Structures are given as structure tokens and as C-alpha cells.
Amino acid sequence: MKAEGRVVLDGERRASENMALDEALLISLKEGSPPTLRLYGWSPSAVSIGYFQRVEDEVDLERARELGIDVVRRITGGGAVYHDREGEVTYSVVLPLDFPGLPREPLSIYRFIGQGLVNAFGEMGLSATLQGVNDVAVGGRKISGSALVLRPWGILQHGTILISVDPDRMFSVLKVPEEKLRDKIVKNVKKRVTSLRDQGFEGGRGDVVDALLQGFSEALSARFAPGKPTPGEMEIARSLEVNKYGREEWLFRGGRR
Amino acid sequence: MEGKSGSSEEVVVETVYKVEGGKSIRPRLVLKSGKISSVRIYGDFFFYPEEELMALEEALLGAGVGEVCERVKRFFTERKITLLGATPQDFTEAILKAING
């Protein structure tokens, strides 16, 4: 007996809108919204930082402004991520706590949902493994990273799937701990990170989206019916965008301080 | 940042502490007369529940360098915290690294 869910085949949104909508879908689980998978992109390209990070440490804000790259803080932990408009597909999944098979411990949840990603890469002809806490790797090189937040009623996990990666562009806005180490760090990233194109996958965004839908359906034993956010969910998202994600206080350590 | 001379010397210290496997802990502390007067622990780790990280920072207030290890240990023993990408010992080491330079 498969669980029933909704898949939102979303387009591109601004960074603050994307984070607001992810949280709105999480909150809406409380009001009876179904388990939801959302597949989306970022326009313009953006950087998202983890909940516990200090934006000045991680992002060259001046450079981001010059390049028209959005910067947003997530409610999930983890690191600073560069979301290229063309270079990645992002997923988010919200599940109620009583979703069949959903574990309780964060690490187990990463494994449970991560299996969906491993399956998806398999659909695309690549052999992937779970790596570390929250990454998926092909040939030992990171191709996807995720972050998870738990609430008393459910969970939100979101993450990226790299179609192509340009470390030079990434580090034009992400800070490095020491400027003199920049070249070494960029070279290191090129070794430790890979992408679908790097692995010889020639399919388009649509193929990636199809593979993710297939992969998550299998891993979660669910049937995801295509749907859209409801007007109520969009209203929550708009409110979060205005009052939280679009605000300087939230970005500059306003979140929990 | 320079401290004032006399009995209340205030120093701001921070560091980047790399955990094996790639995550980083970045403590920023204000020390007053050798005791922690404020502390923020930044980083790309995962800490559940999130609010408890603020409680850990509060638990460190007033600690001298010799008390950090005990306070961190006690904090994690007394509460149900899930920490991913780092261990409580990493937090202690990161804070001591910031203090000791």
C-alpha cells in the first residue's frame, strides 16, 4: 500500500521565495497538507547559508551584489551553497512525523531520504553512494548535498543535485578562510566535487526531474501526484518572505539571536 | 582587538576549527579578565534542536579556560542533543583553540 503525496514541479523562484515556500509547505503539514516533493530552481543564481553560519564569514556580499546573486539564510543547518540557475536542480521534501517508514533520528532520516537521491542517480545511469552525514557521491566525489530540519509535527529536507559546477564562479561569491589559499581550495573542490555533466550525463533538467520523482517514489514507497501549492500555502510563503527571509535581521544573525 | 589595561581587559577571539570529514566550527568569544563574557558558535554542522545551541552558549558564560571542557561535557550529558558533523569534544577543542590562539 503506497503512501499518497504531491509533487510540485516548480519553476525558478528568487532565493527568499524558495526558502519561504519550503517552510510554508512544512508548516502546512500541520493543517493537513499532503507529504510533498518540490523540484525547483533559483533565479537569479543565489547563495544559501546554513542556519548556524555567519553570513559575513561565508559570502562576499559586495561581489554578490555586483553579480546580482541573491543571498538567503536557510532554517536548516549545513554550509554555504552556491545555487547556479543553470547548474543545478533543487529538491525539497516535507513529510509528517507519522509518514510510513520515516525514522525519528536525524541521521536515519538523511539515509531514508538520501536513498531517493541514490535511486535517482541510478535512473540516470550513475552509481551513487551516501557519503558522510548529508552528501551523495559518485566515485567518491560529492554530487549532491542536503540539509534537514525537524519540527514536532514533521520534517523538511532539501538539497541540490549538481548538473554542472564551475568552482571559479562559485568562489567568486563564497569566501575562503584565507585568501592566499584560494587557488588551493578551488583546486581541492574540483577534486572533491563532481556533477552530472562531469559524469557524462547528457540529459536535460526534465530528465533530472523525472529521475528524482522516480527515485523518491521508490525510496519513500509513495505515489506523488502532480499538484501546485494552494492559495493558503502561497499566502504563508509570501508572509514568510516579507517578514523573515527577505529581511536583513534574519540574514545577519537575526534568526536565533 | 586590543583590550584595555587594568582589571577588565576585554579581548575578542575567534577561530576556524576543522573537523575531520570537512565540517567547520567557528567560535567567536569575548573574554573579560580571562572569563567568557559572550560566545557565539558558528559553523556548518547540524545541531538538533536548534535552540539548544543558544543554551550551550549561555552555559559557557563566565567560564574560564579551565572550565570549558567540563561545561561542554555536562551540557551534552544533561540534554538530548543530536549533533552531526562534529562531536561535543570538537566543540571543546574549537573553543579552546580560539581562547589559546
Side-chain angles (χ1 to χ4, degrees):
Chain A
M1 169 91 175
K2 282 189 170 272
E4 297 289 330
R6 166 183 53 170
V7 56
V8 178
L9 299 170
D10 219 358
E12 314 171 313
R13 296 179 192 264
R14 292 182 307 274
S16 54
E17 211 183 338
N18 271 328
M19 295 299 89
L21 184 48
D22 275 357
E23 188 175 352
L25 292 172
L26 172 62
I27 290 168
S28 298
L29 286 175
K30 272 194 291 181
E31 316 305 322
S33 280
T36 298
L37 170 66
R38 184 168 77 99
L39 300 168
Y40 59 93
W42 305 68
S43 179
S45 297
V47 173
S48 71
I49 64 166
Y51 185 70
F52 302 111
Q53 294 189 300
R54 189 170 163 268
V55 69
E56 300 96 321
D57 288 341
E58 306 297 332
V59 186
D60 184 340
L61 293 161
E62 183 61 41
R63 195 87 183 100
R65 202 182 351 256
E66 282 170 17
L67 294 174
I69 290 173
D70 274 351
V71 184
V72 73
R73 174 186 299 282
R74 304 189 300 270
I75 48 171
T76 52
V81 181
Y82 172 67
H83 304 278
D84 191 78
R85 186 177 174 214
E86 268 77 46
E88 63 161 66
V89 172
T90 303
Y91 81 92
S92 69
V93 59
V94 300
L95 303 173
L97 271 201
D98 63 1
F99 185 85
L102 179 66
R104 286 297 159 112
E105 295 297 321
L107 192 54
S108 304
I109 298 172
Y110 275 117
R111 302 260 175 281
F112 178 67
I113 297 176
Q115 189 56 46
L117 295 165
V118 170
N119 293 345
F121 286 109
E123 291 290 318
M124 292 185 271
L126 299 173
S127 174
T129 54
L130 298 173
Q131 183 168 273
V133 172
N134 56 317
D135 292 344
V136 177
V138 171
R141 295 162 70 199
K142 176 177 170 175
I143 198 167
S144 168
S146 297
L148 166 70
V149 73
L150 279 71
R151 292 287 181 260
W153 64 86
I155 65 105
L156 158 69
Q157 179 165 321
H158 50 202
T160 62
I161 290 84
L162 290 177
I163 296 176
S164 65
V165 62
D166 181 351
D168 295 301
R169 181 155 175 84
M170 196 189 303
F171 284 99
S172 64
V173 284
L174 294 181
K175 283 194 171 170
V176 293
E178 264 185 79
E179 265 311 312
K180 66 181 183 188
L181 295 178
R182 176 176 286 273
D183 286 344
K184 190 174 172 193
I185 287 170
V186 173
K187 213 178 273 177
N188 198 357
V189 167
K190 285 177 178 168
K191 274 196 306 185
R192 288 189 301 107
V193 174
T194 186
S195 68
L196 290 171
R197 292 286 176 257
D198 196 30
Q199 292 295 326
F201 178 75
E202 290 172 347
R205 290 186 79 85
D207 301 307
V208 179
V209 164
D210 286 346
L212 286 167
L213 179 54
Q214 179 70 20
F216 281 122
S217 300
E218 273 170 32
L220 272 46
S221 297
R223 188 170 24 228
F224 289 101
K228 291 198 183 309
T230 64
E233 287 166 341
M234 284 314 297
E235 197 169 325
I236 296 172
R238 261 188 287 273
S239 173
L240 285 169
E241 199 188 343
V242 167
N243 296 314
K244 182 170 175 174
Y245 294 100
R247 291 228 162 146
E248 297 235 312
E249 302 99 85
W250 170 252
L251 182 62
F252 289 91
R253 295 314 302 154
R256 59 192 175 100
R257 270 89 196 250
Chain B
M1 210 169 274
E2 292 302 315
K4 299 182 211 143
S5 62
S7 58
S8 62
E9 188 184 296
E10 203 175 86
V11 180
V12 177
V13 294
E14 60 178 314
T15 194
V16 181
Y17 174 89
K18 288 230 74 176
V19 180
E20 253 195 78
K23 301 276 188 249
S24 295
I25 302 171
R26 306 178 72 135
R28 277 190 129 221
L29 305 103
V30 179
L31 303 171
K32 210 167 175 185
S33 308
K35 305 247 185 249
I36 296 174
S37 74
S38 92
V39 54
R40 296 283 179 253
I41 305 172
Y42 300 108
D44 58 353
F45 45 81
F46 298 96
F47 197 108
Y48 304 94
E50 287 83 3
E51 320 82 76
E52 291 291 284
L53 183 57
M54 266 195 293
L56 171 58
E57 290 161 348
E58 271 163 37
L60 287 166
L61 295 179
V65 63
E67 298 165 270
V68 170
C69 184
E70 180 56 42
R71 291 209 190 182
V72 171
K73 217 183 277 182
R74 192 172 353 132
F75 181 87
F76 280 98
T77 317
E78 286 176 354
R79 297 171 198 238
K80 179 148 197 329
I81 309 281
T82 301
L83 179 55
L84 299 175
T87 64
Q89 187 59 27
D90 288 319
F91 273 63
T92 297
E93 305 270 332
I95 293 162
L96 293 177
K97 184 183 173 199
I99 295 174
N100 294 323

